[in-house]
Amino acid sequence: MVDTFSGYKYRNTCNISSLDLHSPFAPLCTDRKSLLTAMSSGGRIGHDAPYMPRDCDMRWFSTEEICEILSRFEKVVILGDSMMRHVIGSLNVLIRKDLGYGAVTDWNFSPEERQDCFCNFQFNVKSCSVQGIFKTGDVVKNDPESLACPANTIDATIEQMIRFPIPSDELDRLRGLLPAKKPTRPYAFVFGHGLWNDLDLQATLDWLDTVLDVSVQQAPWLASPGQLSKSVTRSRGKPAGAAKAERSKQSSGFWPRLFLTPNAAGKEKPDEWLVSQGNKALMVFEEAVREEVKRKGVEHLGTWNMSIQSNKFDGVHLDLRGNLIKAMMVMNWLNMLEVENF
């Protein structure tokens, strides 16, 4: 077994080994369905112990492997809330090989920020959320020497879209990410939503439908002409359920989409949120979202099991260790996508 963090900056100061996060075993999962089931169903033997998927294992990739996987895509688009912001932050840790400051804009830090947003505290939403890296393009622009991937080969970005209804300016930013003309490499989409609408299932499904509709209208190459026409018809008053079913059946484009449901709550979760956003509500929400997004052609990754025995800063957000596991789970999904079908 190899600690893939052995050559990372601040490896010893932050005292994090990849073997502390994931305990590898055989066999490896051989297809995306078994992989997503295994990662959603896995857990830990003890608080903050290494995470293990169930029945078959995921890979813990080296930075070089992560760079190669990301390079298969024109862009990896992450849409959602602060939990999703931490996913792209963790991806930046991995591609910058920097456990101390990889997730944050350390190139413009004050001495105080260098102290407050170091190692685990990069994901402290009260102190360091503004300093998070939202897209790999910012690293290329401001600190290209820190990027371990070959120049101009990867592009990952997040648009924060936290609640439904989605404000028009956020939808405009989404449109700005999507070219009307089909690119040479595919786009992959990773969604996350729920807490800002108090785990209201219908609000989350409406949020997702809006995102999917805007995406395929802006970038029709994502799907067949039939799918686009159904989306337009639905907006003119066709029954939503029928249009959603038709959209899923009509899809023939290569449009990889993954929905991450929120991680488990911790003991610091404020009491006023324990009913609407506590662990029972999170578990029910995860199970319901899994079934509903499947009907839309969207795959699902649950994170409750992975996170129930992990540290959280505020009862909501995972620390660096937990978020690195989330990011590696997403990388495993990306690795299994059949980009040759694009």
Side-chain angles (χ1 to χ4, degrees), residues 159-289:
E159 280 297 336
Q160 293 197 106
M161 307 174 79
I162 61 178
R163 58 168 61 89
F164 184 82
I166 305 174
S168 59
D169 62 316
E170 294 181 3
L171 292 174
D172 287 341
R173 289 198 296 271
L174 172 59
R175 292 184 183 99
L177 293 175
L178 304 174
K181 183 180 178 181
K182 183 177 180 179
T184 57
R185 294 175 294 171
Y187 275 48
F189 293 76
V190 185
F191 309 118
H193 183 267
L195 291 179
W196 281 85
N197 279 101
D198 272 347
L199 303 180
D200 180 330
L201 177 63
Q202 191 57 55
T204 290
L205 297 178
D206 289 343
W207 177 92
L208 181 59
D209 279 334
T210 302
V211 168
L212 296 178
D213 287 346
V214 167
S215 297
V216 78
Q217 289 168 19
Q218 175 66 25
W221 50 268
L222 286 169
S224 68
Q227 181 175 346
L228 179 59
S229 67
K230 299 306 178 186
S231 176
V232 173
T233 300
R234 185 164 70 97
S235 69
R236 293 175 179 168
K238 190 169 184 176
K244 292 173 191 174
E246 286 174 342
R247 178 178 55 195
S248 179
K249 292 176 183 178
Q250 290 280 344
S251 179
S252 62
F254 183 73
W255 191 5
R257 293 156 290 173
L258 180 68
F259 196 107
L260 268 67
T261 35
N263 54 251
K267 62 182 183 295
E268 296 87 0
K269 186 88 172 181
D271 289 349
E272 60 264 33
W273 302 113
L274 290 182
V275 174
S276 62
Q277 297 183 15
N279 280 316
K280 178 180 179 180
L282 286 162
M283 294 169 73
V284 171
F285 182 76
E286 179 167 292
E287 292 175 2
V289 167

Side-chain angles (χ1 to χ4, degrees), residues 65-101:
E65 290 172 322
I66 290 169
C67 291
E68 189 280 321
I69 294 167
L70 291 175
S71 73
R72 302 173 194 171
F73 302 89
E74 191 76 21
K75 191 185 292 287
V76 176
V77 179
I78 299 173
L79 302 172
D81 54 19
S82 55
M83 288 187 179
M84 303 308 294
R85 188 177 71 236
H86 290 171
V87 170
I88 195 167
S90 298
L91 287 177
N92 280 298
V93 169
L94 296 169
I95 62 178
R96 298 178 75 196
K97 293 188 173 183
D98 187 345
L99 291 168
Y101 297 108

